[in-house]
Amino acid sequence: MKRFALGSVLLTVGLQVSCIESETSVVRPDTGSVDSGPEIDASAQTSADDVRRVLANVGMNVVVPTLRQASARAAALEAATAAYETSLSETDRNAAQAAWREAMDAAQHAEMFQLGPAAPAGMAPGARGLRDEIYAWPLTNRCRVDQETVEPSHQATDTLRAEAINVRGLAAIEYLLFETTLNNGCPSTISINVMGTWVALGDAGVRSNRARYAHNAAVLVRERADELLAAWESEFLQQLSTSGTTSPLFATAQEGLNALSDAMFYIEDPSRDMKLGVPAGIIDCTETSCPDRIESLYADVSRENVIANIRAFRSAYLGGEPGSDGMGFDDLLRTVGASDLDSRMQRAIQGALTAVDAIEGPLGEAVRERNAQVVAAYDALTVLTRLLKTEFVTVLDLELPMRVDGDND
């Protein structure tokens, strides 16, 4: 009977496991090597039926409830922005901001499930690009939103729907609801400044246009959130659950499992790298830190966004909330005798949650004044992503997403 130690496995893609080196002065502690754990019986395999049970459970009891919550909160945001557009009162603006925070929290959980209709069109089985219609980050552009604030296209959903995704969705609404100044973010050479159309709005006009714009954008978010939920409930859940049997999208159960696994790699990039590594100055930042590159520049919920991402990952991994007995990846690992790996995965998930939760204050402030906390959170997530990219995918015979192949971390 062939046996192998998990830690010695070389991925067929030739992935080398090493930490991304910072180009800045950040000093990061050694997170240690991955424990090889006990030897695993290579002849033990998960059955296609077990895989389908995981797909059905995660789809029905994790993804669909997440999308239902996102849809409900998008509707609440639509209602709150409608009230604010009508009154322009600070009370209603505060209520709209609170509704946005709730909608964003739900959207951040849904970020982990960019497969099927949520995935970019043409990039995955059943993809329809609906995620980008709801939340297009990192494709954001303050100046473009300011230009739309002057233009009449924001005044009706039909015309706003035809605009680019970087001037719609939750990211644009964040700016419209939370920006405290009445200035625009465009260079002086841009037409709204050259022609004086921004100044011509006056303070009252800017407030009014932003409120109307935020509401119409919220209508579109609610429409797409409803569409995404309906796509899962009416078709994609069935397609995923019947992978390898009657599903026309997934010829084998393993293909369905790989689609879910690919989506869960969101925990590495963007969650770890773009949301923590870039602002902390660990990657793609030429300064000690880059606080102006946090995800949530106006509402200051960047830390909370990462926490939501990790919690969604945990739910998908476990097949439900901690303590539930739903079929998840943990069950598949135990089926092949990888209980030790499952334990280390769960410890790594909790370690990442603890480290991100320990970041004090808004993330932008933290990277300026307490960057060691952000670096520690990045390193805690690295422990999880190392396990995910090496032992986890190897034991379950999964393929790495194309965007991860050749990564040096």
Side-chain angles (χ1 to χ4, degrees):
M1 179 178 294
K2 183 179 178 182
R3 301 174 71 85
F4 61 92
L6 290 177
S8 64
V9 173
L10 296 179
L11 299 181
T12 56
V13 295
L15 179 68
Q16 295 181 340
V17 182
S18 62
C19 213
I20 294 177
E21 293 295 332
S22 171
E23 296 181 355
T24 73
S25 60
V26 172
V27 178
R28 298 169 54 229
D30 182 8
T31 56
S33 60
V34 176
D35 183 3
S36 64
E39 292 185 338
I40 304 302
D41 184 354
S43 67
Q45 296 181 356
T46 57
S47 72
D49 286 340
D50 282 343
V51 169
R52 279 188 285 271
R53 279 192 283 271
V54 169
L55 294 174
N57 177 65
V58 173
M60 175 61 74
N61 296 316
V62 177
V63 179
V64 168
T66 297
L67 299 182
R68 285 174 180 161
Q69 184 179 67
S71 176
R73 291 185 178 180
L77 176 62
E78 179 183 352
T81 53
Y84 174 51
E85 178 190 2
T86 298
S87 71
L88 294 179
S89 72
E90 195 63 21
T91 297
D92 283 338
R93 182 187 184 194
N94 290 339
Q97 290 175 338
W100 181 90
R101 291 189 182 95
E102 290 292 306
M104 177 55 73
D105 179 72
Q108 289 292 335
H109 281 80
E111 286 283 85
M112 195 56 57
F113 308 123
Q114 292 181 48
L115 67 160
M123 298 299 291
R128 290 166 54 177
L130 293 177
R131 177 269 176 184
D132 287 350
E133 296 286 329
I134 296 167
Y135 184 52
W137 182 86
L139 299 178
T140 59
N141 189 318
R142 176 186 175 181
C143 177
R144 283 289 296 113
V145 174
D146 287 330
Q147 289 174 296
E148 291 299 323
T149 302
V150 174
E151 296 296 324
S153 56
H154 76 273
Q155 298 180 14
T157 55
D158 286 343
T159 49
L160 183 58
R161 186 181 289 111
E163 297 296 323
I165 58 173
N166 66 349
V167 298
R168 295 183 279 117
L170 290 171
I173 298 170
E174 176 184 5
Y175 171 64
L176 293 166
L177 291 179
F178 288 87
E179 170 59 22
T180 57
T181 74
L182 297 173
N183 301 322
N184 68 73
C186 295
S188 59
T189 54
I190 297 298
S191 62
I192 62 171
N193 290 319
V194 172
M195 304 299 294
T197 50
W198 182 270
V199 172
L201 285 177
D203 290 353
V206 170
R207 290 191 186 94
S208 177
N209 283 17
R210 281 178 175 172
R212 183 183 301 111
Y213 187 171
H215 172 59
N216 287 326
V219 172
L220 297 180
V221 166
R222 192 267 307 157
E223 289 178 354
R224 298 293 76 76
D226 289 350
E227 183 180 353
L228 178 57
L229 172 61
W232 265 85
E233 290 184 322
S234 66
E235 181 180 4
F236 188 74
L237 176 60
Q238 179 70 12
Q239 301 281 8
L240 190 64
S241 302
T242 59
S243 296
T245 56
T246 61
S247 173
L249 290 180
F250 303 106
T252 66
Q254 196 69 10
E255 287 183 12
L257 192 67
N258 235 121
L260 179 57
S261 171
D262 284 355
M264 291 168 63
F265 269 85
Y266 185 96
I267 200 66
E268 179 184 48
D269 184 10
S271 289
R272 185 198 66 170
D273 291 348
M274 296 177 67
K275 298 186 182 188
L276 294 178
V278 172
I282 297 170
I283 56 175
D284 193 25
C285 173
T286 59
E287 307 296 330
T288 302
S289 66
C290 289
D292 60 334
R293 295 179 66 185
I294 61 172
E295 179 182 12
S296 177
L297 282 166
Y298 307 100
D300 284 330
V301 294
S302 296
R303 183 182 69 95
E304 291 79 0
N305 289 352
V306 178
I307 290 174
N309 297 160
I310 300 170
R311 286 177 174 164
F313 179 94
R314 180 180 63 184
S315 293
Y317 177 80
L318 296 176
E321 290 299 305
S324 73
D325 58 358
M327 283 285 289
F329 286 93
D330 58 330
D331 298 285
L332 296 181
L333 290 177
R334 289 195 296 270
T335 296
V336 297
S339 297
D340 178 75
L341 174 57
D342 169 46
S343 296
R344 286 182 287 130
M345 287 286 293
Q346 294 199 42
R347 287 198 299 271
I349 293 169
Q350 185 55 52
L353 272 174
T354 300
V356 177
D357 190 55
I359 297 172
E360 301 174 54
L363 189 64
E365 173 189 303
V367 295
R368 286 191 297 267
E369 301 177 10
R370 297 172 294 277
N371 200 29
Q373 295 177 352
V374 185
V375 173
Y378 176 93
D379 287 334
L381 266 170
T382 297
V383 173
L384 175 59
T385 58
R386 281 178 176 174
L387 290 173
L388 185 67
K389 294 195 318 186
T390 55
E391 299 181 53
F392 176 84
V393 295
T394 301
V395 170
L396 295 181
D397 195 26
L398 296 165
E399 297 178 0
L400 289 169
M402 286 189 295
R403 68 180 184 274
V404 177
D405 288 356
D407 192 347
N408 290 325
D409 179 62

